[in-house]
Amino acid sequence: MIATNKQFTLTAAASRKAHVLRLEVIGGELDSQEMSLALPARIGRGDSASLQLKHPLVAEEHCDILVRGDEILVRDLGSENGTFVNRDRIDLAQWAPGQLLTIGDVTFRAIVD
């Protein structure tokens, strides 16, 4: 499902509730092959990112991973090189367990126990 940013509003209740997502690194170079990420999270090259990816194709503030109800959403923050869910460039999309997320040269798979 691909939506526009206008269709998504993060509620105060959703932003207060902490969720943890396990990520499997299946492409690119990172020190770890699996990691946990507290949501909501920002991915980017900059110091303010929750998950820093030091790669020239990654913007300072590249994308956000958000929670809406039981859904995990990925929102691109206007990055020049794009954010991809299952090889589709997205502005805002649902990221379901097992699907791929590519940022720069790194590809993650969402894992749910």
Side-chain angles (χ1 to χ4, degrees):
M1 176 187 129
I2 298 176
T4 66
N5 285 333
K6 293 178 185 175
Q7 294 172 303
F8 175 74
T9 304
L10 184 63
T11 65
S15 65
R16 283 192 304 267
K17 186 175 180 182
H19 296 274
V20 177
L21 177 65
R22 282 194 321 130
L23 304 176
E24 178 186 12
V25 179
I26 62 168
E29 293 185 27
L30 282 182
D31 292 337
S32 176
Q33 292 304 306
E34 191 173 299
M35 63 188 68
S36 296
L37 185 62
L39 302 181
R42 176 154 292 170
I43 299 175
R45 200 174 61 230
D47 293 336
S48 65
S50 307
L51 175 58
Q52 289 184 327
L53 299 178
K54 299 291 187 181
H55 189 274
L57 294 177
V58 177
E60 291 290 312
E61 295 184 335
H62 198 96
C63 67
D64 285 334
I65 301 178
L66 309 162
V67 176
R68 180 177 63 188
D70 292 333
E71 295 179 318
I72 298 169
L73 301 171
V74 180
R75 176 175 52 196
D76 184 79
L77 298 173
S79 65
E80 185 175 324
N81 295 302
T83 301
F84 298 83
V85 172
N86 285 344
R87 298 190 176 128
D88 294 322
R89 188 172 182 155
I90 58 98
D91 290 322
L92 178 70
Q94 182 178 0
W95 186 25
Q99 290 185 323
L100 304 179
L101 172 65
T102 302
I103 302 161
D105 73 337
V106 179
T107 301
F108 301 97
R109 182 188 330 262
I111 302 172
V112 174
D113 296 322

